[in-house]
Amino acid sequence: MEQKQQIESPQESILQNAFNAAQTGVWHWDIDQDRIRINDAWARLIGYAPEELAPFDTAHWLNLCHPEDRKRVSDTLSRALKMKNKHFSFRTRLRHKNGDWIWGQFNGGVTEPDSINERPALSGTLTDVTELYHSKNNLRYRYEIEKLVSEITSNFVGIPFQDTDKTIDQALQKIGQFMNVDRCYVFQFRENGTLMNNTHEWHTKGIKPQMGHLQNLPSSIFPWWMNSLSKFEHLYIQRVKDLPTEAISEKEILQSQSIISLLVVPIHYQQKLLGFIGFDSVVREKEWLEADIHLMNTVAHAVASALNAKNFQEALVQAKEKAEESDQIKSAFLATINHELRTPLHHILGFSDLLRMRKIPVAEISNFADKIYKSGKNLLQIIEDILSLAQADESSVKVRKEYLLGKDLFIQHKSLLDEMLKSASKEQSLKLHYNPCPSFLNSYFISDNSKINQVIINLLKNAIKFTNSGSIEYRAEIKNKELSFHIKDTGIGITQDQQKLIFDFFRQVDDSSTRIYSGVGIGLAISKRITTILQGELTVCSIPGKGSTFTLKIPIETAVNLQKATRNL
């Protein structure tokens, strides 16, 4: 026995020297004593000296492994021992002394009892494969993200414009999940870039959506942000808390949404900024690689093309609908003209023919002549309206400046309204209220008398036509160099939808073939055009069944007296 020990001692010494001198990490696990021997290279690989790890056992070893790897490592060692595997290997993450994780490749095998080891043991080597792992992992990652971006961009090719929003939502979800961000969204600009709307959004579970709160935002609240986007540059903010002072507005808004990091890439098409895509990190700080940002720009270009195609298609649809509506309106107008012209013509021709044939009693001649006269006036008015329509389309219409006294203008309007009411035979059913303010009656000012009267006449005609009983009120005032007229009636009123149409050419409250009220439907449209020429404003406020109030506002030049007004012309 003593001789055997003398033989073994040199062997152990040689093995021990080799064990310690090896440049590769070496380990030996004495299973019975649960003692693991490691060499200097093993300890240095994770930043320690061997003595710092002593005593080293399986619990200590597993504690150095990543929590997600521990069960797999334990199972692999147990299985190797049970199966007496001569060779086995596994890869795991080990915590370095500085806190980083390194990837270690373990190779080993079960040692059978021999002259040195009386019981089975596990031995093997440890190699640092962190760089190799990251290299392979990066290649796999690059392949996967480029494959994803290629798939997303392909999905936008040739899609029906009705599917654009759905495809964008799907793209945001795929990118958000792959890039491990908390929220992805699209903003689109409108009103020439002055306003923005959050139109699409994806968010991970537990993250509060924001799209409902981010509508009709003025772009001016993001000056620093917009400066970069307007140059078609992306914004990568790794730490919102570190934003510069010139981005104080953006910083406050982003922090109110608990955003820690974000990336924003512009959506632009042919030098036009359409919007941007944003990627928010709310839970943790997110680092973006330059290559990934480049790929997100590729996605943004695909989205830009899709949105541009969608906008173009929608514009075509709207143009088609507008053209069809225009055809319908013109058809209704022509039908109206046909009816309005034929009715007085039939009266004129019919009664004239009876007079010509002398088949009318002498006592009725005056009555028939009166009908012919009224029909002729009606026909003349229709023709004048049509001529006014042609004139309203002329861009060369000039404003004629004249000196006016409010009182004189009021007398003209009162005379016109009294005459129109009498012609309509509604003196008994309608009451007229005149309420001109002293500021109007006693003021001298400069404006176009004929154009003002043309608008007022149209408003008064409508008030009489659509009011069978009740009252019509005329008010006028001058305030802050603005002349205002208010024509209020208690007539049939106008619905909200119809209020949007009545100032369009050929549009009437009722353009059906069974309508009660006559007219060609261009009076208010012409009035609106004249008001625009005068740089004024014509509006309506109405309640169906209760009446309407039309308001005409015109900017004027005021004068202290008639002589000064004359000099200003």
Side-chain angles (χ1 to χ4, degrees), residues 84 87 100 109 111 128 134 147 185 211 232 389 504 541 554:
K84 297 182 180 180
H87 301 287
D100 292 338
T111 305
D128 185 354
H134 285 320
K147 178 183 175 183
Y185 46 86
M211 188 167 72
F232 307 133
L389 170 62
D504 295 340
C541 179
I554 303 169

Side-chain angles (χ1 to χ4, degrees), residues 183-190 195-203 208-219 221-222 225 249-250 252-259 262 276 278 280:
R183 189 187 297 117
C184 300
Y185 46 86
V186 169
F187 271 81
Q188 292 186 60
F189 293 119
R190 63 184 188 87
L195 296 176
M196 62 175 78
N197 287 342
N198 188 180
T199 56
H200 304 80
E201 181 186 44
W202 170 87
H203 57 88
K208 186 177 180 181
Q210 298 291 329
M211 188 167 72
H213 311 292
L214 302 175
Q215 303 298 318
N216 298 316
L217 298 179
S219 305
I221 65 175
F222 301 103
W225 186 302
S249 177
E250 287 83 353
E252 291 177 355
I253 293 172
L254 295 174
Q255 287 184 330
S256 70
Q257 299 176 40
S258 304
I259 299 173
L262 78 155
F276 57 87
D280 291 350

Side-chain angles (χ1 to χ4, degrees), residues 118-181:
E118 297 179 357
R119 298 178 182 277
L122 271 67
S123 302
T125 60
L126 168 64
T127 307
D128 185 354
V129 293
T130 304
E131 187 174 347
L132 176 63
Y133 180 85
H134 285 320
S135 176
K136 289 183 177 179
N137 197 45
N138 284 340
L139 287 173
R140 188 181 301 111
Y141 169 79
R142 297 251 57 86
Y143 170 76
E144 293 296 334
I145 189 173
E146 289 176 10
K147 178 183 175 183
L148 174 65
V149 171
S150 177
E151 176 188 335
I152 288 172
T153 53
S154 298
N155 289 341
F156 283 106
V157 177
I159 61 170
F161 78 94
Q162 300 93 332
D163 295 340
T164 301
D165 293 329
K166 177 182 176 182
T167 307
I168 292 175
D169 289 337
Q170 291 172 345
L172 293 179
Q173 179 179 357
K174 290 177 181 178
I175 294 173
Q177 291 174 341
F178 185 89
M179 300 304 300
N180 194 28
V181 294

Side-chain angles (χ1 to χ4, degrees), residues 328-329 332-333 335-336 506-515:
Q328 293 172 358
I329 294 170
F333 171 71
T336 300
F506 315 137
R507 300 304 293 262
Q508 301 183 76
V509 172
D510 180 9
D511 58 5
S512 66
S513 60
T514 58
R515 67 189 186 282

